[in-house]
Structure formats: C-alpha cells, structure tokens
Amino acid sequence: MTLRIDELTFRYKTGLPEIFSHLSYEFPAGKLTALTGPSGCGKSTLLYVLGLMLSPTAGRVSYNDKSLSELDDCQRSAFRAREIGFIFQDSELDAFRPILESVIEPGLYAGLKATKLRRIGLQLLTHVGLGDQAEQKPTHISGGQGQRAAVARALINDPAIILADEPTGNLDRDNAAIVLDLLQTAASEGRTVVVATHDPFVKDACDCVIDIAEERDG
C-alpha cells in the first residue's frame, strides 16, 4: 500500500512560477510523514495534489503502482471518497448541524447507508472522546473538540490515506497533543498519514520529515 510521487511539478497557471518541480518521494504506510517548510513553499499545495484536488503540471501521483494522475474526474472523486480522509486547519464542521452529521458526510458521498454511518460515526466520536457531544453543534464545543471531530470525520470511510493540512495550527499545546496522538494511532493501524505543518511539536513527533523548500531547491 504505497503512495508515491514521481518527478512531480506544479504551477497554478501557464506562465506563473513553479511551486515545486521534479519532486519524487514515497510515503510509507504505517508512518506519520510531515511536509514542512516556510509559508509559500508548497506544502499545502502538495497535500492537495496528493488528495487529487489539484492536478500536477507534470509527473505523477501513484498508489500501489497505479497512476492516479491519469484518472478522469469521476474516478478521482470515487478514489477520494473511498481511500482518502481529509483534515483541515479549521475543522470545517457544518455550524448548523450536529457534529455527528458532519462526521458521517463523507460516507454519504461514498454511497454508504446513513444508519450504518451513524453507528460508526458515534463509535469514532467516542474514540476521540466526544461520544457525549455527538448531537451538539460546532458552536457549542471548543476548537480542540471540533478538530477531534474532524479526525473522526476523516476516518469514517476507513481510508487508507489521511491528509492533514496544519491540523494543530489553531490549537493550544494540550489539544494539539490529543490530535497528534490520534494521527499517530491512525498511522499505527497501517494507514499512510501525511501532515502539512509548520509546528515543530508535530514535526518532532513524525516518523518521516520532508522539507519542501529543501527538496524544491535541491
């Protein structure tokens, strides 16, 4: 179960500078990998390319030796729904619905039954310490609790790949440690977990570290 990039190059539009070029790397399953570097170096962009939300200018993203860069839009959407869980800096929970409903939303997109998803979602919220908050709206929980709910949402489809963009960026150290522990657990269960971060606390806890600026300039 290997996620790879080979000779990956990306620019947003023709004529604009390349964000990065000719990057090659293998992201091992069962490991927590950090993408680091100064703001603007391309770590979040690379994360979105890995998540098939952006297409590379050149090179390829592959999983289990199958090129993902050549998939059409429907195939890319289906792969994302099945195999990738996303976590963003802001939890991105729907402010008008209970957090359980936000947690199960990716499963609905993947075509799973709502009844089953609610059962799994409640189990995941219990796992992240929010079982008794399942029916609360995001405005009634803390930012740290919201980010833990976002981890539960990323896990709802039991994805092989977790991609997290600055998941501790808005958290205090105690809540950051909880979220980091959840990501480490997800990796220990055999998933590929990639985190874009500028937080030394997160970087020091990761198994692998890729400095995008160094890779870009190397």
Side-chain angles (χ1 to χ4, degrees):
M1 300 291 186
T2 302
L3 179 66
R4 288 185 54 87
I5 54 174
D6 293 285
E7 294 295 313
L8 202 69
T9 296
F10 183 85
R11 62 164 60 90
Y12 280 98
K13 290 183 179 179
T14 302
L16 291 179
E18 293 175 345
I19 305 298
F20 48 76
S21 62
H22 303 290
L23 292 184
S24 296
Y25 201 82
E26 182 174 301
F27 301 88
K31 302 291 185 181
L32 184 58
T33 300
L35 303 178
T36 69
S39 296
C41 72
K43 53 186 182 292
S44 293
T45 299
L46 178 55
L47 202 73
Y48 298 149
V49 172
L50 289 173
L52 309 184
M53 293 186 287
L54 294 173
S55 297
T57 305
R60 74 172 195 160
V61 179
S62 62
Y63 184 65
N64 288 348
D65 296 323
K66 178 181 179 179
S67 176
L68 302 180
S69 303
E70 298 170 5
L71 300 179
D72 62 30
D73 287 343
C74 290
Q75 291 170 325
R76 290 159 72 92
S77 294
F79 184 87
R80 277 197 304 268
R82 290 194 315 269
E83 302 291 355
I84 303 177
F86 293 95
I87 305 167
F88 301 99
Q89 182 170 349
D90 296 314
S91 62
E92 302 292 341
L93 302 174
D94 188 330
F96 301 101
R97 296 190 297 165
I99 61 173
L100 178 59
E101 298 303 311
S102 288
V103 165
I104 70 172
E105 190 171 34
L108 296 174
Y109 288 140
L112 302 178
K113 293 184 180 296
T115 302
K116 179 181 179 180
L117 286 169
R118 287 192 176 92
R119 184 176 69 252
I120 296 171
L122 185 56
Q123 291 171 348
L124 287 169
L125 283 171
T126 300
H127 174 66
V128 302
L130 295 174
D132 59 348
Q133 304 289 324
E135 297 302 324
Q136 294 286 352
K137 293 180 180 178
T139 51
H140 296 156
I141 62 176
S142 70
Q145 288 173 320
Q147 201 65 330
R148 280 186 269 158
V151 175
R153 180 180 56 195
L155 294 171
I156 191 68
N157 291 338
D158 193 21
I161 302 165
I162 299 288
L163 303 176
D165 189 13
E166 302 283 4
T168 65
N170 293 332
L171 303 182
D172 60 37
R173 183 57 71 232
D174 289 343
N175 278 298
I178 293 170
V179 170
L180 180 58
D181 181 67
L182 291 169
L183 293 174
Q184 290 173 316
T185 298
S188 72
E189 293 170 344
R191 297 180 178 89
T192 299
V193 183
V194 185
V195 182
T197 185
H198 65 274
D199 187 343
F201 176 70
V202 175
K203 174 183 172 181
D204 290 345
C206 287
D207 303 295
C208 313
V209 177
I210 306 171
D211 188 313
I212 301 301
E214 289 183 2
E215 294 285 336
R216 181 186 62 193
D217 299 333

